[in-house]
Amino acid sequence: MNGKEKVLAAFGNAFGDTEGVRCFFAPGRVNLIGEHTDYNGGHVFPCAISMGTYAAVRKRNDRKLRFYSANFEKEGVLESSLDTLVPLSNKKWTGYPEGVVWAFEERGFKIPQGFDMAVFGDIPAGAGLSSSASLEVLTGFVLRELFGIRELTNVDLALIGQKSENEYNGMHCGIMDQFASAMGKEENAIFLDTNTMEFEYAPIRLDGMRLQITNTNKKHSLVDSEYNLRREQCQAALSDLQKKLDIKTLGDLTEEEFEENKDLIRDDVCRRRAKHAVYENRRTIRAVAALRAGDIEAFGRLMNESHVSLRDDYETSCPEADILAEEAWKLPGVVGSRITGGGFGGCTVSIVKDEAAETFIKELGRIYEEKTGYPASFYSLSIGSGPKEL
Ligand code: GLA
């Protein structure tokens, strides 16, 4: 069964029949470089992936919202209503779609009637490949299509998804994940300046090489609290810098400007966090320039530097992802490898030469299992497009 068939079957099981049901899809994302820069006014370079979340939906004649997930079968059908949406009140998975309904209403788009929605996702849970952002963008897309809210663009859907995650779910994420899901384009990554929201597509054509995702299979944990803490530390560093410098974000600084002024940052930890944000932003700009110039080796080196910075200065890596990246660097035909996403678990993304791909999977898999006692998972990355009706 493909994703559409699975989600339709789930709808039928949960809600009785599938008459008049419409099906939709929105992708997850992987970030190639530019980590923890999106809430620091920096650049990111993610792409949508072919894995994502499927929905089967039907309007209701009352104000009930009924949700069912084939990924959380045991939870059964979870019911709420358009009249009882309260931020931070729902810790279950339905907090994500509910939050998007809430954010639509906050933005002035009243949802006139309830709906039944079944979902099914093929993104491995806790892998840092944005299953939650894909569910948010999916819900936004569903609401726009179901209720004909034509004035909303896909960028609006990304912003609404972020608002719902920030305010309804209490995770103070940046815009990258929702943007990548809403604006994904096949065979392209998205070079986004989160300061201005200007973006360009950059074709990913890797002659003789491939993008490889490797899952630590360590579910990322503590993400929300540690993530929110990183944000606060960057904000504290910025406030210290602003006592002398006329800047709005850490993304406004070059490495040289940072080095000249870093002693303004009083706290040592905050100084390291800010260093990562500044350097990672500059690395991202350089990496995209290298890619455009056809210099994949330089792109790969910047990926490796990104990992080191996330490991040492930003401290959002974890021992498992360090094993994957550091062991990958030693293998033949590996152009670059780094942890991707929010961190504390999840996946690495690597560029691997075609002829080395088999050894990469075999050797890295063997070493990882030897060191951790459990296997990693390998997915070859195909870059997918944004949300769509099926
Ligand atoms: C999470 C957040 C994003 C971004 C990344 C780190 O995925 O949702 O906004 O900050 O972490 O780059």
Side-chain angles (χ1 to χ4, degrees):
M1 275 205 281
N2 62 28
K4 181 179 176 182
E5 288 160 355
K6 276 194 188 146
V7 81
L8 264 179
F11 189 99
N13 287 339
F15 304 115
D17 69 277
T18 56
E19 211 189 308
V21 167
R22 291 168 71 180
C23 292
F24 301 87
F25 170 80
R29 68 94 188 90
V30 66
N31 188 22
L32 301 180
I33 193 163
E35 215 68 80
H36 292 280
T37 48
D38 63 347
Y39 50 88
N40 284 308
H43 293 73
V44 292
F45 196 49
C47 50
I49 56 179
S50 52
M51 293 184 276
T53 312
Y54 296 81
V57 203
R58 183 168 63 196
K59 283 186 201 168
R60 299 178 54 87
N61 292 324
D62 54 21
R63 294 182 58 78
K64 277 185 192 160
L65 301 170
R66 295 199 302 172
F67 299 105
Y68 174 78
S69 168
N71 299 87
F72 300 104
E73 274 179 348
K74 284 205 190 94
E75 306 242 353
V77 173
L78 296 170
E79 188 175 313
S80 56
S81 141
L82 288 169
D83 303 313
T84 55
L85 301 179
V86 180
L88 306 177
S89 65
N90 182 354
K91 296 287 163 216
K92 296 196 166 162
W93 73 270
T94 48
Y96 292 106
E98 268 184 26
V100 175
V101 176
W102 172 86
F104 262 69
E105 302 222 314
E106 287 288 298
R107 287 266 314 248
F109 299 104
K110 292 285 168 226
I111 303 302
Q113 63 203 98
F115 54 89
D116 291 337
M117 175 160 127
V119 304
F120 159 71
D122 59 6
I123 303 175
L129 300 175
S130 291
S131 55
S132 40
S134 83
L135 179 54
E136 289 155 5
V137 169
L138 177 70
T139 308
F141 193 81
V142 161
L143 293 177
R144 184 177 78 186
E145 299 305 310
L146 224 52
F147 299 107
I149 310 173
R150 289 280 131 238
E151 55 267 60
L152 290 177
T153 63
N154 278 22
V155 172
D156 292 324
L157 297 184
L159 289 165
I160 288 177
Q162 184 198 18
K163 180 182 170 67
S164 79
E165 183 147 347
N166 289 172
E167 296 173 37
Y168 201 85
N169 301 103
M171 157 75 169
H172 299 151
C173 63
I175 189 62
M176 170 170 75
D177 304 349
Q178 292 81 5
F179 198 94
S181 175
M183 299 299 289
K185 184 171 164 186
E186 252 165 56
E187 287 180 26
N188 281 267
I190 310 171
F191 184 42
L192 169 68
D193 179 349
T194 62
N195 212 6
T196 59
M197 292 297 281
E198 276 170 26
F199 70 98
E200 285 168 25
Y201 290 108
I204 303 291
R205 275 187 227 98
L206 300 173
D207 288 336
M209 301 173 197
R210 61 185 71 175
L211 286 165
Q212 179 76 53
I213 301 178
T214 311
N215 193 346
T216 60
N217 287 325
K218 186 194 170 221
K219 288 210 172 121
H220 58 188
S221 53
L222 286 179
V223 198
D224 292 16
S225 55
E226 284 291 330
Y227 185 96
N228 292 347
L229 176 63
R230 293 297 178 285
R231 258 196 107 133
E232 285 162 24
Q233 290 164 334
C234 287
Q235 185 52 49
L238 176 65
S239 303
D240 283 348
L241 290 166
Q242 282 170 329
K243 296 205 174 103
K244 184 173 148 207
L245 302 178
D246 181 23
I247 53 168
K248 291 207 170 58
T249 68
L250 293 174
D252 292 339
L253 293 176
T254 61
E255 294 98 327
E256 295 74 25
E257 287 164 339
F258 175 78
E259 294 301 332
E260 273 162 32
N261 293 287
K262 66 181 180 193
D263 294 336
L264 291 167
I265 305 170
R266 288 165 297 173
D267 180 76
D268 171 57
V269 174
C270 296
R271 196 178 310 118
R272 281 190 289 124
R273 305 297 191 242
K275 180 180 177 199
H276 167 79
V278 171
Y279 278 68
E280 180 76 356
N281 178 40
R282 308 301 294 177
R283 262 194 292 276
T284 306
I285 297 169
R286 269 205 290 276
V288 176
L291 183 77
R292 287 191 166 134
D295 189 352
I296 306 294
E297 301 287 334
F299 190 95
R301 280 194 300 276
L302 291 160
M303 287 174 79
N304 298 348
E305 285 175 23
S306 166
H307 184 87
V308 170
S309 178
L310 289 160
R311 184 191 66 193
D312 299 344
D313 285 331
Y314 217 65
E315 295 179 281
T316 53
S317 187
C318 60
E320 294 81 358
D322 289 343
I323 294 172
L324 284 182
E326 290 163 19
E327 294 298 329
W329 300 339
K330 297 179 198 160
L331 292 173
V334 175
V335 178
S337 185
R338 58 181 287 276
I339 187 171
T340 182
F344 307 103
C347 294
T348 59
V349 57
S350 313
I351 301 180
V352 184
K353 295 194 174 142
D354 284 341
E355 70 268 15
E358 218 183 294
T359 321
F360 177 86
I361 294 175
K362 223 172 94 202
E363 272 304 287
L364 192 58
R366 185 186 60 76
I367 298 167
Y368 185 78
E369 189 160 354
E370 210 174 271
K371 294 202 179 226
T372 61
Y374 57 90
S377 308
F378 294 84
Y379 325 106
S380 69
L381 169 62
S382 74
I383 303 183
S385 53
K388 55 187 173 223
E389 180 157 11
L390 302 169

